[in-house]
Amino acid sequence: MNKTIKQGAWLFVIPVVVLVAFNALIPLMTVVNYSMQETFGDNVFFWEGLRWFEQVLNSERFHDSFVRQITFTAIILLIEVPLGIAIALCMPRKGFWVSVCLVLMALPLLIPWNVVGAMWNIFALPDIGLLGYTINAIGIEYNFTRQPFAAWFTTILMDVWHWTSLVVLLAYAGLSAIPDAYYQAAKIDGASRWAVFIWIQLPKMKRVLTIAILLRFMDSFMIYTEPFVLTGGGPGNTTTFLSIDLVKLALGQFDLGPAAAMSLIYFFIVLLICWVFYTLMMKNEQQ
Amino acid sequence: MAKITLKDIRHSYYSSPTADEDYAIKHIDTIFQNGGAYALLGPSGCGKTTLLSIISGLISPTSGNIWFDDENVTEVDTIHRHIAQVFQFPVIYDTMTVFDNLAFPLRNRGVSEADIQMRVQEVAEMLDLEEGINRRAASLTVDGKQKISLGRGVVREDVNVMMFDEPLTVIDQNLKWELRSKLKELHQKVDTTMIYVTHDQTEALTFADEVLVMYEGKVVQSGTPVELFEKPMHTFVGYFIGSPGMNVLPCQVKNGDVVFEDLNVLCSNQAAASSVSSGMSTELGIRPEFIRFADEGIPVNVRRVDDIGRHQLVHVEHGQHGIKMICPEEQPITEGSANIQFDPSRTYLYADGWLAENSNTT
């Protein structure tokens, strides 16, 4: 069969191309441009090739913040995903309390990120903050501006408080979509509570959990505002995650070339991990 | 295996039902004999599924008791009632293989692995599931998935009752016949009580020895397919069973005579006419199969003739009342005026929907 090809159809693609060009391609290419050159202002550029990339990839500073970043993301995923599922399982299925629970769950998600950081900063202050004061009062020395462990503990607690709700809401949506017949059949088949979770609820939640993990991975991997407001990356560099480090490099030291190279590397890491994760999940699905 | 007795079952989905309309199950008093094949037949929303859920213990009735043999199981939970149930839409455990799906009810009850092998093999053979038995169940078609559901229902041999809630709705037409006869075959082999819920009369009539017709939360008639066809106890049964259903025509009772539009009509339960009290609404029921053209009788106007294969379906009109009748294929029929006659032995008088009965006899 001969298909008639109408070249005019390309016209309809133009708006999208323009939009994508302005919000993604052009900014990205600017960064690529910076990453390969050295500038001293006045629009004077010197070609540097891949030197900045080599420098960043070989720098201990980048390695350290990368390890901190991966550790942070792994910890919050390990806490937030199981906790979110557990809370979703405990939530009522119908009645008045459903909406109450949902609103309570959604509240932390509605708070602006820098406000979350400021809230937890005050909350955790050892002398006047409720949390900090209480921990010290029960005999544990706690000061997140001085102790690295306390800083990590507070940052993780803050993230768990802020974002577990997202996992809860997604898991709850997944659970609500399971038809009653599955639970009835399981009862008739004599399945235990645990078997129902493993064979019905978890498989049915797989899609939403994939989304939840992806979202939480990306957000936590690029986290900036909250730890910046809470600890400023300190004490020392102990909570300096990749994005904080990047901002220090780009705006603090004004090393535009290395900063551009670093952001491209950063971007590719996120892209790569998401792609690997998603491919694995989808492959698993097809079997 | 057990005889199932339902005593005075009423069920409402409201917490404090008052009016009769609040009840999904108005009043049911029935016995399912051990080893019988029963069908629950009725339109959507008549309480069939609710009744099944009450028997399986997924719902506890608002009032009344359920007995399995001599044991009152009203308060017993689903797992201890030892029942099997298959639902309308396939329920499978996606991440398990076909084999594990079928073995699941057995494994949960601690059956030995050797026995599981044997039983699952047997069921898989019966349902043609052997091929790809080690594949993920999620990869099957809807037909295949429903076969797995059926298989999980029949894999245990020690069940008190097997219940099927419209299990063939999603199955392909050709396969429907096959699976239905498989179920029938299975019933003859294992001798377990089976209850089959459906709104399809063909399915009910081919599967069951006894059909319970449900209507608005009540069992309006139970009996063999022939009884339901020949002597409907309620106009609903007459209308619901048969294709097309029974003609139901308004009539009056005057001095023991049944009068349809100023014409006297003879009924098989004529004697009961005198015991119909004046406030009741009375109707005539006559199946299309028992109406004939005659030289004299009820004058009608022939409106349309449909060829339905081995018969002709004739639509006639008397005044504003449409009447359907079935005539042999070869009979020539012309549109226009004609006369018809009802077979008196197949014509019934109904009062308030129910077959009129002489209060003196039973």
Side-chain angles (χ1 to χ4, degrees):
Chain A
M1 222 172 74
N2 282 327
K3 277 186 183 169
T4 48
I5 295 168
K6 287 186 183 165
Q7 299 294 351
W10 288 104
L11 283 176
F12 295 101
V13 185
I14 287 176
V16 175
V17 172
V18 170
L19 201 72
V20 171
F22 271 96
N23 75 9
L25 286 178
I26 295 175
L28 194 68
M29 287 323 287
T30 316
V31 176
V32 172
N33 195 28
Y34 275 109
S35 75
M36 306 224 176
Q37 304 184 69
E38 170 76 288
T39 176
F40 302 104
D42 282 345
N43 255 350
V44 184
F45 287 93
F46 301 93
W47 177 252
E48 291 285 352
L50 293 176
R51 197 165 76 92
W52 301 136
F53 287 93
E54 276 165 38
Q55 187 187 318
V56 169
L57 284 172
N58 286 322
S59 81
E60 210 167 297
R61 176 174 159 183
F62 178 75
H63 295 167
D64 289 349
S65 32
F66 180 72
V67 168
R68 278 193 292 268
Q69 185 66 72
I70 284 284
T71 314
F72 175 75
T73 297
I75 292 175
I76 66 106
L77 280 178
L78 283 174
I79 297 175
E80 287 175 16
V81 174
L83 184 65
I85 295 173
I87 294 174
L89 285 172
C90 294
M91 274 167 63
R93 289 277 161 271
K94 50 189 161 196
F96 168 74
W97 291 104
V98 172
S99 15
V100 175
C101 285
L102 287 178
V103 169
L104 282 178
M105 280 295 143
L107 270 181
L109 299 175
L110 302 175
I111 300 173
W113 298 9
N114 55 348
V115 177
V116 172
M119 263 168 59
W120 278 81
N121 188 318
I122 296 165
F123 185 45
L125 281 177
D127 44 0
I128 55 162
L130 187 59
L131 177 72
Y133 184 82
T134 313
I135 293 177
N136 279 301
I138 57 174
I140 300 165
E141 205 187 314
Y142 167 88
N143 186 337
F144 74 92
T145 56
R146 252 184 268 143
Q147 302 155 312
F149 180 80
W152 270 78
F153 173 78
T154 318
T155 314
I156 287 167
L157 197 64
M158 171 179 69
D159 198 79
V160 168
W161 175 83
H162 194 180
W163 289 112
T164 304
S165 303
L166 182 75
V167 183
V168 173
L169 293 181
L170 284 166
Y172 186 77
L175 284 174
S176 314
I178 303 175
D180 264 350
Y182 278 84
Y183 295 112
Q184 297 176 339
K187 258 191 199 171
I188 284 158
D189 290 340
S192 61
R193 182 71 194 78
W194 177 246
V196 169
F197 176 67
I198 290 294
W199 299 113
I200 298 176
Q201 291 172 322
L202 211 50
K204 293 280 169 200
M205 279 194 290
K206 202 172 118 189
R207 275 165 194 278
V208 285
L209 286 182
T210 308
I211 296 170
I213 292 172
L214 267 182
L215 284 177
R216 280 318 297 134
F217 164 75
M218 287 191 290
D219 276 352
S220 67
F221 206 78
M222 299 186 283
I223 192 167
Y224 176 77
T225 318
E226 297 140 283
F228 180 76
V229 176
L230 181 70
T231 63
N237 271 332
T238 48
T239 55
T240 301
F241 301 123
L242 277 178
S243 58
I244 297 180
D245 201 21
L246 178 62
V247 174
K248 278 184 185 171
L249 190 63
L251 302 180
Q253 301 164 221
F254 221 71
D255 280 339
L256 291 182
M262 183 178 165
S263 40
L264 284 177
I265 294 166
Y266 193 178
F267 173 59
F268 283 120
I269 292 171
V270 175
L271 214 59
L272 184 73
I273 296 179
C274 286
W275 179 74
V276 168
F277 178 74
Y278 192 76
T279 314
L280 285 180
M281 289 304 278
M282 286 303 116
K283 207 170 223 172
N284 192 19
E285 185 107 323
Q286 276 161 13
Q287 271 166 11
Chain B
M1 280 164 234
K3 177 176 98 172
I4 296 165
T5 313
L6 302 178
K7 273 190 189 153
D8 291 325
I9 297 287
R10 281 167 79 78
H11 183 73
S12 172
Y13 286 104
Y14 300 100
S15 49
S16 53
T18 45
D20 222 27
E21 294 85 64
D22 294 348
Y23 284 90
I25 299 282
K26 296 215 169 60
H27 180 242
I28 284 181
D29 229 352
T30 300
I31 293 174
F32 296 99
Q33 294 296 347
N34 185 15
Y38 294 90
L40 282 180
L41 179 64
S44 305
C46 71
K48 300 178 302 238
T49 302
T50 309
L51 190 63
L52 271 205
S53 302
I54 287 174
I55 298 174
S56 59
L58 296 169
I59 292 178
S60 69
T62 309
S63 65
N65 289 299
I66 306 137
W67 297 72
F68 283 7
D69 287 331
D70 301 325
E71 190 196 351
N72 185 343
V73 295
T74 318
E75 304 296 327
V76 176
D77 59 10
T78 305
I79 180 164
H80 295 114
R81 289 194 191 186
H82 301 295
I83 48 110
Q85 188 170 354
V86 179
F87 298 90
Q88 186 170 6
F89 295 101
V91 174
I92 57 153
Y93 304 103
D94 291 333
T95 48
M96 291 188 196
T97 62
V98 175
F99 183 94
D100 291 337
N101 258 283
L102 295 174
F104 193 59
L106 299 174
R107 286 198 176 128
N108 286 328
R109 287 172 175 82
V111 177
S112 77
E113 207 53 36
D115 287 347
I116 290 177
Q117 275 290 342
M118 211 183 61
R119 278 300 296 158
V120 170
Q121 202 57 43
E122 217 172 295
V123 170
E125 223 164 275
M126 189 185 95
L127 294 170
D128 292 326
L129 282 169
E130 295 150 293
E131 210 176 306
I133 193 159
N134 289 317
R135 274 170 53 198
R136 276 266 201 101
S139 64
L140 272 70
T141 58
V142 176
D143 283 358
K145 286 179 181 171
Q146 187 66 334
K147 278 199 206 167
I148 295 177
S149 299
L150 277 171
R152 278 209 323 277
V154 301
V155 76
R156 281 149 58 213
E157 278 176 316
D158 59 336
V159 291
N160 283 319
V161 55
M162 287 182 191
M163 298 188 284
F164 305 93
D165 189 354
E166 310 204 21
L168 305 181
T169 315
V170 294
I171 303 268
D172 197 59
Q173 196 64 36
N174 300 329
L175 208 57
K176 254 185 199 177
W177 283 100
E178 195 189 316
L179 284 179
R180 210 182 301 145
S181 49
K182 287 248 164 81
L183 283 180
K184 188 95 187 164
E185 200 178 294
L186 180 83
H187 178 249
Q188 274 146 11
K189 221 163 64 188
V190 299
D191 213 32
T192 308
T193 315
M194 288 193 181
I195 304 176
Y196 192 102
V197 164
T198 179
H199 62 255
D200 178 341
Q201 48 170 317
T202 329
E203 241 173 72
L205 302 181
T206 50
F207 175 81
D209 308 325
E210 190 172 336
V211 178
L212 285 79
V213 181
M214 288 189 67
Y215 179 57
E216 293 183 341
K218 282 182 210 149
V219 175
V220 284
Q221 185 172 7
S222 72
T224 63
V226 175
E227 283 169 358
L228 295 179
F229 184 79
E230 290 188 346
K231 198 177 180 187
M233 301 300 286
H234 190 278
T235 48
F236 175 75
V237 180
Y239 159 81
F240 198 68
I241 291 182
S243 173
M246 189 167 70
N247 293 297
V248 179
L249 305 162
C251 67
Q252 281 88 45
V253 174
K254 283 178 191 156
N255 312 322
D257 287 333
V258 180
V259 182
F260 166 62
E261 297 272 312
D262 298 332
L263 295 160
N264 269 1
V265 178
L266 286 176
C267 296
S268 114
N269 58 340
Q270 187 84 38
S274 52
S275 56
V276 172
S277 54
S278 56
M280 288 175 161
S281 79
T282 47
E283 284 155 322
L284 266 180
I286 173 81
R287 287 203 175 273
E289 288 83 352
F290 304 126
I291 307 177
R292 258 169 271 302
F293 283 108
D295 294 334
E296 54 185 17
I298 302 165
V300 293
N301 199 8
V302 179
R303 305 293 296 180
R304 202 174 85 222
V305 182
D306 297 337
D307 192 343
I308 53 168
R310 286 181 295 129
H311 304 285
Q312 300 180 86
L313 174 60
V314 186
H315 302 260
V316 301
E317 253 179 19
H318 175 84
Q320 49 179 322
H321 304 292
I323 301 172
K324 293 189 182 90
M325 50 191 289
I326 284 178
C327 297
E329 197 181 13
E330 60 282 358
Q331 185 177 345
I333 295 162
T334 46
E335 296 194 8
S337 47
N339 287 305
I340 57 168
Q341 256 174 12
F342 296 163
D343 178 348
S345 65
R346 303 292 191 200
T347 310
Y348 296 101
L349 172 66
Y350 293 89
D352 283 348
W354 295 91
L355 188 71
E357 279 180 336
N358 198 331
S359 46
N360 303 325
T361 59
T362 43

